[in-house]
Amino acid sequence: MSLRPTVDFLLHDWLKVESLQSRDRFADHSRETFDAVLGTCERIAREKYAPFNRLVDTQEPHFDGEKVILPQATHDAYKAYAESGMLSAAQDYEVGGMQLPYTVEAAANAFFAMASVSIGSGMLTSGNANLLMVHGTDLQKQVFAANEFNGRFSGTMCLSEPQAGSSLSDVTTRATPDGEGFEADALGARYRLKGNKMWISSGEHELSENIIHLVLAKIPDANGQLVPGVKGISLFIVPKKLVDTHGQLTGERNDVALAGLNHKCGWRGTTNTLLNFGEGKYPVRGEAGGGLDGAGSGGGLDGTGSGAIGYLVGKPGEGLRCMFHMMNEARIGVGMAATMLGMAGYYASLDYAKNRPQGRPTGAGGKDASQPQVRIIEHADIKRMLLAQKAYSEGALALALYSARLVDEQHTGTAEDADVARLLLEVLTPIVKSFPSEWCLEANSLAIQIHGGYGYTRDFPVEQYWRDNRLNMIHEGTHGIQAMDLLGRKVLMENGRGLQLLAERMLATAAKAEANWGPEAAALRDALQQIGQATRQAWAGAEPAQALANAVPYLQAFGHTVIAWIWLDVAASLGKDNAPAAQGRQAACRYFFRYELPKIGAWLNVVSSRDPTCADLPEEAF
Amino acid sequence: MSLRPTVDFLLHDWLKVESLQSRDRFADHSRETFDAVLGTCERIAREKYAPFNRLVDTQEPHFDGEKVILPQATHDAYKAYAESGMLSAAQDYEVGGMQLPYTVEAAANAFFAMASVSIGSGMLTSGNANLLMVHGTDLQKQVFAANEFNGRFSGTMCLSEPQAGSSLSDVTTRATPDGEGFEADALGARYRLKGNKMWISSGEHELSENIIHLVLAKIPDANGQLVPGVKGISLFIVPKKLVDTHGQLTGERNDVALAGLNHKCGWRGTTNTLLNFGEGKYPVRGEAGGGLDGAGSGGGLDGTGSGAIGYLVGKPGEGLRCMFHMMNEARIGVGMAATMLGMAGYYASLDYAKNRPQGRPTGAGGKDASQPQVRIIEHADIKRMLLAQKAYSEGALALALYSARLVDEQHTGTAEDADVARLLLEVLTPIVKSFPSEWCLEANSLAIQIHGGYGYTRDFPVEQYWRDNRLNMIHEGTHGIQAMDLLGRKVLMENGRGLQLLAERMLATAAKAEANWGPEAAALRDALQQIGQATRQAWAGAEPAQALANAVPYLQAFGHTVIAWIWLDVAASLGKDNAPAAQGRQAACRYFFRYELPKIGAWLNVVSSRDPTCADLPEEAF
């Protein structure tokens, strides 16, 4: 059981990615170059990731007082990933990139997520560097991004704080201009940062020569006050170790200190940290970092901490806008991680089901105990649990790659196509992130169930997939945040044009599928109508709090409708193919329409009626 | 937030357990004696269990080559539990019991399950002893059961084998009569057992002086062959250490050897073992164990193992029938464990939600960031996640206590009432076990979600509840087994009379609720009709394999209908009460009818149509 044929089918037969060759940017690419990238990633994932997935779960990162110690396997995997060139896969040739379509890059990264999501690929590092390529100065690109692309440096994103998780407007990390003399610092306007950042993945380790933190912080106003809300937020590059304008380490450490490691339920191979910025553990003069003569205000060596040195990215107050560039990629990445955990569990339980003898078929006269046991894949309920996993996971993978294809369209399509792609992505991103977070977690639970008691032991991989996957509904915007984003913003924006565009695509699929998939096409049209009606009724004359009270059920119904559409589109593309793989996809489509899509009615009921049962309940009644 | 008021409400206001005083068996009991038992259990759970729940998760049992080492806290909790008298709570006064109604016993044990499910109460031990009180000889009761009730010995149930998990007909543990001379052994007909038993909870430890294994094994026929199927299965008492007829240890160890500890995803405080019976690690002569002169065939000391000594319980071939007595109690116990994990997560997340500030309400003009953050319980989606947990967990608790009340009715009601109670229990047991296994697990996931990133760390208790709870869909009969039991046996037995009786009770509730809960009463009647129709259509002219292909969706729909009924009955019992607690229960009822019950349509569709999508898919298409 290999992921590769599924990926190949989705990329080539369904999405026709080779057609991207007609774009200038991708003119040098072909099926052969795509295959080479996928083959390399598949091999590295098989050799350097998969064998160590349980090991990194067991040997959690620990802090020896000076350094965070990770298993050798993580170092080896990091090195192999960096050497593959994937960190800069999407970048221009001139900065050493491959100009690979994002669709292919996302597909290639899927192999790592499936092999060991918690060893991790370079998603944060390349996302960090990609952001700098868009919003950074030339020197920031050269010093920071380029060294992230080549793997010398790694990257983080620092948004949350202990008192401000989902609520970024409450960020209190403070960035003070570092005296007059530093305004012209070649690496960017220089600030001193003080504050605490929570949940920072890969915030401290020895995998790379340096760690480049992208940090959201607020610049105080003239009275030294922080502006409330998200408008006051700016974005800063805060390297763990100071560098000069050539990207060389100056030998001085920046004042970014590990305050603690988070001990998680799963995803234990990835270091997750609480970081203190500028609290004085590593007091920093910072003169050598391209600064002037040390006469600035920031050169304190008094041990109380004058702040960690940070370089402004973009304009003051535009931090969140810049960061969103990275957050959208991160959300697609989270969805892909959840998806690939789902696939991993599917393959593991499929393998188990094909080999484990247990029980007998129920015949007309009951079970005949004198017959040998059958393999459990012969039981209907095991098949149901396998097909559910396939429908959730492959459906989510198809959606993720479809969305990646929209990213390529946004970047290389005609202006009109790019705009359509942008809007579709706005509407689909919450689903790409939330559907697999919820349903591929459910898939992992089914994978455990197929294994019976064995699935609940650490001798089999599925319990770890399930634990790892539970994070995905939380990080990079919780389920609730995705739901508010969808119902409160995305389906309304530009007068509902995003939703309209999505509806058009769904109707086009229904029309295409009509001949062979009549009942499913009708069911999709009906679901779409229900979504439209619930959207209108949720907002009809309502206060936002009322409209959004049932945003999560709305998100769930929307997600199921989107995946039904994706499956119907896949199934319609198969024509009359009846090879086993095609039969499997047709069955997954049927499964989704018969077992899953009918659930949307229950979810949408409470949206349409703006059911106040939960919102109105007084606190003391719980 | 205390469980006690909820338990008191359910026991007294709703179930009116004091009315049991009118039964001879319970004549000495009163609200005061019930309160004393609940108070004692609440206190022991608070002092000896709750503080150590994380500790037993971290310090897993380990085998030092001779002994299984458990934390001191587990020893202390075991001792306190035994001293409470709860092990024999339901037994007659004359054997030292309290003659406590099972309803109150179950409620009292709930406190332990909530405080630390994996330290565990004495469920297996008292279940084991209760079985012997029904099926054992006088001496077996005296030697084994009595010493389990007083805590000197503990008990296990040994059903599964590595090659036979859910499929008991494939048990291959072999029990050979131990020579002519031992037939008259006072402790029961003596056999030698050889075989392996898997997933044995508390199979090896030093908590008690001895461990009494109840083991399913097959007695070979005249040709030395094992009879296929469940009919050949007999039940044996196999003590870890041999005892004399006074219950004293003879000093000789029986040949029951620990082959391995299972390392689980959760529920780590409970030792779970693979046991080898009679493989020669502890070769046993067994003369002192009440046997004759050692001339029997079993006295081998050759180290190859002549088998572990076991004493037959009941008649040969009736082992499964005897064991089912214990399995039904065990299934209710599993449901209660799942339920109390759900409650534990609910209380933990309610506490967190009341104290964690984060974000602001969505006003007409958006969020006003200049205002202080509010506590997250003020957000509608947090309330939704709290109310869902309450509806699942308290609903499941109410059902479990309702079922426990049926057990009391079965044991002390009139012949007619007892028979009705028996049949209702047959139908409800799969739900009592399966509903909380699935939905209180979902509740735990919501408890994590409310905590955000903190919920995913081991610094908060909720991730452990979620891991612990995942076992409950697996042990004591998987979800699939419960579903086959329900649709394949329970709703059909005695010409569907059990289902009919349940329907009558539901309709009685609907009638009672009509005045204040009209729409809900109608929805319950409608759900009941859908269940009846789906049951008929599933079986109409179908082969069993077809009828049962969608047994799990049937189980899910049935479970949701049962919990809706329970909530409506609870709500109807409240009258016009509008105290906060009553408001909370009314809201949970509304929540369940509006958000949950509508889901049954999607589940029942595939049952009614006998949807073959999963069952018909050939293996190679996955």
Side-chain angles (χ1 to χ4, degrees):
Chain A
M1 279 158 290
S2 158
L3 173 65
R4 186 62 187 279
T6 299
V7 166
D8 284 344
F9 165 79
L10 292 172
L11 287 182
H12 300 295
D13 298 292
W14 183 54
L15 288 176
K16 319 265 185 235
V17 286
E18 280 152 276
S19 67
L20 285 168
Q21 274 185 273
S22 66
R23 314 277 162 92
D24 283 352
R25 182 171 181 79
F26 307 127
D28 294 344
H29 281 292
S30 64
R31 173 80 189 239
E32 284 65 40
T33 61
F34 295 160
D35 281 350
V37 171
L38 293 174
T40 300
C41 291
E42 190 178 7
R43 179 181 54 74
I44 296 174
R46 185 176 61 242
E47 293 174 357
K48 303 289 186 186
Y49 282 69
F52 308 105
N53 190 44
R54 179 59 78 173
L55 182 140
V56 300
D57 183 62
T58 317
Q59 296 179 21
E60 282 184 278
H62 72 272
F63 185 52
D64 72 359
E66 260 195 69
K67 292 177 176 170
V68 171
I69 313 296
L70 290 166
Q72 184 58 39
T74 306
H75 287 263
D76 296 344
Y78 179 87
K79 187 159 173 281
Y81 187 85
E83 285 171 358
S84 74
M86 284 299 290
L87 286 164
S88 59
Q91 288 298 321
D92 297 354
Y93 294 135
E94 62 183 35
V95 298
M98 297 188 211
Q99 296 194 185
L100 196 67
Y102 180 62
T103 316
V104 181
E105 183 189 0
N109 275 325
F111 290 96
F112 300 102
M114 191 169 91
S116 179
V117 78
S118 82
I119 290 179
S121 62
M123 191 181 87
L124 277 171
T125 297
S126 57
N128 178 310
N130 290 344
L131 181 153
L132 292 176
M133 294 304 288
V134 176
H135 299 288
T137 64
D138 283 348
L139 198 60
Q140 286 174 340
K141 294 179 195 177
Q142 207 174 302
V143 169
F144 299 109
N147 283 310
E148 293 185 84
F149 288 136
N150 66 28
R152 263 187 75 208
F153 300 169
S154 58
T156 74
M157 52 197 288
C158 302
L159 289 78
S160 300
E161 301 183 358
Q163 83 296 346
S166 297
S167 177
L168 289 174
S169 56
D170 294 293
V171 156
T172 60
T173 296
R174 174 184 287 262
T176 318
D178 197 12
E180 295 286 315
F182 294 95
E183 290 282 342
D185 187 315
L187 291 174
R190 210 167 101 166
Y191 287 74
R192 292 292 185 137
L193 277 74
K194 289 191 180 192
N196 313 110
K197 290 290 178 180
M198 187 60 166
W199 311 122
I200 310 308
S201 287
S202 303
E204 180 61 79
H205 56 73
E206 304 288 319
L207 295 172
S208 55
E209 207 177 308
N210 202 357
I211 301 173
I212 309 306
H213 304 288
L214 282 179
V215 182
L216 292 183
K218 289 185 175 178
I219 303 170
D221 64 16
N223 303 318
Q225 301 297 308
L226 299 185
V227 184
V230 296
K231 291 188 182 120
I233 298 177
S234 303
L235 180 65
F236 301 88
I237 297 169
V238 185
K240 169 182 167 182
K241 298 172 181 172
L242 296 179
V243 298
D244 64 22
T245 53
H246 305 288
Q248 296 307 308
L249 304 190
T250 65
E252 195 174 9
R253 177 143 184 180
N254 202 358
D255 195 4
V256 183
L258 181 70
L261 293 175
N262 289 310
H263 298 287
K264 306 186 299 296
C265 171
W267 211 303
R268 296 185 181 182
T270 301
T271 315
N272 189 274
T273 61
L274 170 60
L275 296 178
N276 288 347
F277 288 82
E279 297 207 335
K281 179 160 182 188
Y282 305 104
V284 56
R285 297 181 66 89
E287 299 93 335
L292 299 180
D293 60 2
S297 63
L301 271 173
D302 52 9
T304 59
S306 304
I309 288 178
Y311 306 99
L312 183 68
V313 179
K315 293 184 184 146
E318 299 202 345
L320 214 53
R321 196 180 63 82
C322 297
M323 194 58 110
F324 257 97
H325 182 85
M326 188 168 173
M327 272 167 64
N328 278 333
E329 277 187 43
R331 286 177 178 176
I332 294 179
V334 167
M336 187 62 104
T339 298
M340 298 321 295
L341 284 165
M343 292 296 288
Y346 170 56
Y347 288 135
S349 58
L350 179 54
D351 184 57
Y352 186 83
K354 284 182 173 176
N355 289 293
R356 166 80 178 175
Q358 185 84 174
R360 291 167 188 81
T362 312
K367 291 165 192 281
D368 181 354
S370 69
Q371 295 299 309
Q373 300 197 76
V374 299
R375 294 162 311 124
I376 61 173
I377 198 171
E378 300 183 46
H379 300 308
D381 193 52
I382 299 289
K383 288 189 181 186
R384 183 186 63 82
M385 293 192 280
L386 288 170
L387 194 52
Q389 289 180 70
K390 183 181 171 80
Y392 298 147
S393 306
E394 283 190 27
L397 179 59
L399 173 64
L401 294 177
Y402 185 93
S403 302
R405 180 66 185 76
L406 290 174
V407 173
D408 283 323
E409 198 60 29
Q410 189 183 359
H411 292 156
T412 65
T414 63
E416 194 185 327
D417 288 350
D419 195 54
V420 166
R422 172 189 63 81
L423 257 176
L424 283 169
L425 270 174
E426 293 279 17
V427 177
L428 287 175
T429 300
I431 304 301
V432 175
K433 198 269 182 187
S434 67
F435 179 87
S437 298
E438 180 170 1
W439 295 97
C440 295
L441 176 67
E442 178 62 22
N444 289 152
S445 187
L446 294 173
I448 292 175
Q449 195 68 20
I450 288 173
H451 284 72
Y454 293 99
Y456 194 66
T457 69
R458 278 121 68 197
D459 299 330
F460 286 79
V462 286
E463 66 85 29
Q464 185 185 346
Y465 298 146
W466 182 68
R467 280 189 290 111
D468 286 350
N469 218 347
R470 185 61 189 79
L471 179 59
N472 292 313
M473 261 197 284
I474 299 171
H475 65 166
E476 311 305 346
T478 63
H479 230 48
I481 297 280
Q482 302 302 322
M484 306 270 279
D485 185 42
L486 180 66
L487 180 55
R489 211 166 71 85
K490 297 299 180 62
V491 298
L492 305 178
M493 65 192 289
E494 301 184 24
N495 293 315
R497 195 169 142 247
L499 185 54
Q500 187 53 43
L501 287 167
L502 181 62
E504 284 167 16
R505 297 227 168 176
M506 289 189 182
L507 293 173
T509 295
K512 188 170 61 175
E514 193 63 55
N516 295 323
W517 295 85
E520 287 79 9
L524 180 63
R525 282 191 208 98
D526 180 60
L528 186 58
Q529 211 208 329
Q530 287 184 58
I531 292 278
Q533 188 174 326
T535 311
R536 283 188 300 276
Q537 291 182 341
W539 283 104
E543 297 293 324
Q546 296 175 307
L548 295 174
N550 293 299
V552 167
Y554 180 83
L555 179 80
Q556 291 172 307
F558 204 104
H560 261 55
T561 304
V562 166
I563 297 295
W565 158 56
I566 290 287
W567 269 119
L568 189 58
D569 204 78
V570 167
S573 80
L574 295 169
K576 297 282 186 191
D577 190 351
N578 67 352
Q583 282 183 50
R585 291 182 187 114
Q586 287 150 352
C589 179
R590 264 196 303 277
Y591 169 87
F592 207 86
F593 275 85
R594 295 183 185 184
Y595 288 73
E596 298 292 333
L597 188 61
K599 292 178 182 171
I600 69 169
W603 287 317
L604 292 177
N605 266 344
V606 294
V607 177
S608 299
S609 64
R610 296 201 294 261
D611 193 293
T613 304
C614 304
D616 285 358
L617 191 63
E619 182 175 333
E620 62 275 17
F622 281 98
Chain B
M1 279 157 292
S2 157
L3 173 65
R4 186 63 187 278
T6 299
V7 165
D8 284 344
F9 165 80
L10 292 173
L11 286 183
H12 300 296
D13 298 291
W14 184 54
L15 288 176
K16 320 266 187 232
V17 286
E18 279 151 277
S19 68
L20 284 168
Q21 274 185 272
S22 66
R23 313 278 162 94
D24 283 351
R25 183 172 180 80
F26 306 128
D28 295 342
H29 281 292
S30 65
R31 174 79 189 239
E32 285 63 41
T33 61
F34 296 160
D35 280 351
V37 170
L38 293 174
T40 300
C41 291
E42 190 177 7
R43 179 182 53 75
I44 297 174
R46 185 177 63 243
E47 294 173 357
K48 303 289 184 184
Y49 281 70
F52 308 105
N53 190 44
R54 178 60 77 174
L55 182 141
V56 299
D57 184 61
T58 316
Q59 296 179 21
E60 280 184 279
H62 72 273
F63 186 51
D64 71 358
E66 259 194 71
K67 292 176 175 169
V68 172
I69 312 296
L70 290 166
Q72 183 58 40
T74 305
H75 287 263
D76 296 343
Y78 179 87
K79 188 158 171 284
Y81 187 84
E83 284 170 0
S84 74
M86 284 299 290
L87 286 166
S88 59
Q91 288 297 320
D92 297 353
Y93 294 135
E94 64 182 36
V95 296
M98 297 187 212
Q99 296 195 185
L100 196 68
Y102 181 63
T103 315
V104 181
E105 183 189 359
N109 275 324
F111 290 96
F112 300 102
M114 192 170 92
S116 179
V117 79
S118 84
I119 290 180
S121 61
M123 191 182 87
L124 277 171
T125 296
S126 58
N128 178 310
N130 290 343
L131 181 152
L132 291 177
M133 292 306 286
V134 176
H135 299 288
T137 64
D138 284 348
L139 198 61
Q140 285 174 342
K141 293 179 195 176
Q142 206 174 303
V143 168
F144 299 109
N147 283 309
E148 292 185 83
F149 287 135
N150 65 27
R152 264 187 74 207
F153 300 169
S154 59
T156 75
M157 50 197 289
C158 302
L159 288 77
S160 299
E161 301 183 359
Q163 83 296 346
S166 297
S167 177
L168 289 175
S169 56
D170 293 293
V171 156
T172 60
T173 296
R174 174 184 287 261
T176 318
D178 196 12
E180 294 286 316
F182 294 94
E183 289 282 342
D185 187 316
L187 291 173
R190 209 167 103 167
Y191 287 74
R192 293 291 186 138
L193 277 74
K194 288 190 181 193
N196 314 110
K197 290 290 177 180
M198 186 61 164
W199 312 121
I200 310 307
S201 286
S202 305
E204 180 60 80
H205 56 72
E206 304 290 317
L207 296 172
S208 54
E209 207 177 306
N210 202 358
I211 301 173
I212 309 306
H213 304 288
L214 282 179
V215 182
L216 291 183
K218 289 186 175 178
I219 303 170
D221 64 16
N223 303 317
Q225 300 297 308
L226 299 185
V227 184
V230 295
K231 290 187 184 122
I233 298 177
S234 304
L235 180 64
F236 300 89
I237 297 169
V238 185
K240 170 181 167 183
K241 298 171 182 172
L242 295 180
V243 298
D244 63 22
T245 52
H246 305 287
Q248 297 307 309
L249 304 190
T250 65
E252 195 175 7
R253 176 144 183 178
N254 201 357
D255 195 6
V256 183
L258 180 71
L261 292 175
N262 290 310
H263 299 287
K264 305 184 301 296
C265 171
W267 211 302
R268 295 185 182 183
T270 301
T271 315
N272 190 274
T273 61
L274 170 59
L275 296 178
N276 288 347
F277 288 82
E279 296 208 335
K281 180 159 182 190
Y282 305 104
V284 57
R285 295 181 68 89
E287 298 95 332
L292 301 180
D293 60 2
S297 63
L301 271 172
D302 53 6
T304 58
S306 303
I309 288 178
Y311 305 99
L312 183 68
V313 179
K315 293 187 184 140
E318 299 202 345
L320 213 54
R321 196 178 64 82
C322 298
M323 193 59 111
F324 256 97
H325 182 87
M326 187 168 173
M327 273 168 63
N328 279 333
E329 277 186 41
R331 284 176 179 177
I332 294 179
V334 167
M336 188 62 103
T339 297
M340 298 321 296
L341 285 164
M343 291 295 288
Y346 170 57
Y347 288 135
S349 58
L350 179 54
D351 183 59
Y352 186 83
K354 284 182 172 176
N355 290 292
R356 166 80 179 174
Q358 185 83 175
R360 290 165 189 81
T362 311
K367 292 166 192 280
D368 180 355
S370 70
Q371 295 299 308
Q373 300 197 73
V374 299
R375 294 163 310 126
I376 61 173
I377 198 171
E378 300 183 47
H379 300 308
D381 194 51
I382 299 289
K383 289 189 180 185
R384 182 187 62 82
M385 293 192 281
L386 287 169
L387 194 52
Q389 289 180 69
K390 183 182 171 78
Y392 298 146
S393 306
E394 283 190 27
L397 178 59
L399 173 64
L401 294 178
Y402 185 94
S403 302
R405 181 65 186 76
L406 289 174
V407 172
D408 283 322
E409 199 59 29
Q410 190 183 357
H411 291 156
T412 66
T414 63
E416 194 185 327
D417 288 350
D419 194 54
V420 166
R422 174 189 61 81
L423 256 176
L424 283 169
L425 270 174
E426 292 279 18
V427 177
L428 287 175
T429 300
I431 304 302
V432 175
K433 199 268 182 188
S434 68
F435 179 88
S437 298
E438 180 170 0
W439 295 97
C440 294
L441 177 68
E442 178 62 22
N444 290 151
S445 187
L446 294 173
I448 293 174
Q449 194 68 20
I450 287 174
H451 283 73
Y454 292 99
Y456 194 66
T457 69
R458 277 121 68 196
D459 299 330
F460 286 80
V462 286
E463 66 85 28
Q464 184 185 346
Y465 299 147
W466 181 68
R467 281 189 290 110
D468 286 350
N469 219 346
R470 185 60 187 80
L471 179 59
N472 292 313
M473 261 197 283
I474 299 172
H475 64 166
E476 311 305 346
T478 63
H479 230 49
I481 297 280
Q482 302 301 323
M484 304 271 279
D485 185 43
L486 181 67
L487 181 55
R489 210 166 73 84
K490 297 301 180 59
V491 298
L492 305 178
M493 67 192 288
E494 303 184 22
N495 292 315
R497 195 169 142 246
L499 184 54
Q500 187 52 42
L501 287 168
L502 181 62
E504 285 167 16
R505 297 226 168 175
M506 290 190 180
L507 293 173
T509 296
K512 187 169 61 175
E514 193 64 55
N516 295 322
W517 296 85
E520 287 79 8
L524 181 62
R525 281 191 208 99
D526 180 59
L528 186 58
Q529 211 208 329
Q530 287 184 58
I531 293 277
Q533 188 173 327
T535 311
R536 283 188 299 276
Q537 291 181 343
W539 283 105
E543 296 293 324
Q546 296 174 308
L548 296 174
N550 293 300
V552 167
Y554 180 83
L555 179 80
Q556 292 172 308
F558 203 105
H560 261 54
T561 304
V562 166
I563 298 294
W565 158 56
I566 290 287
W567 269 119
L568 189 58
D569 204 78
V570 166
S573 80
L574 295 169
K576 297 281 186 193
D577 190 352
N578 67 352
Q583 281 183 49
R585 291 183 187 113
Q586 286 150 353
C589 179
R590 265 195 302 279
Y591 169 86
F592 207 87
F593 275 87
R594 295 183 185 183
Y595 287 74
E596 297 293 333
L597 188 61
K599 292 178 182 170
I600 69 169
W603 287 318
L604 291 176
N605 265 344
V606 293
V607 178
S608 299
S609 64
R610 297 201 294 261
D611 193 293
T613 304
C614 305
D616 286 357
L617 191 62
E619 182 175 333
E620 62 274 18
F622 281 98

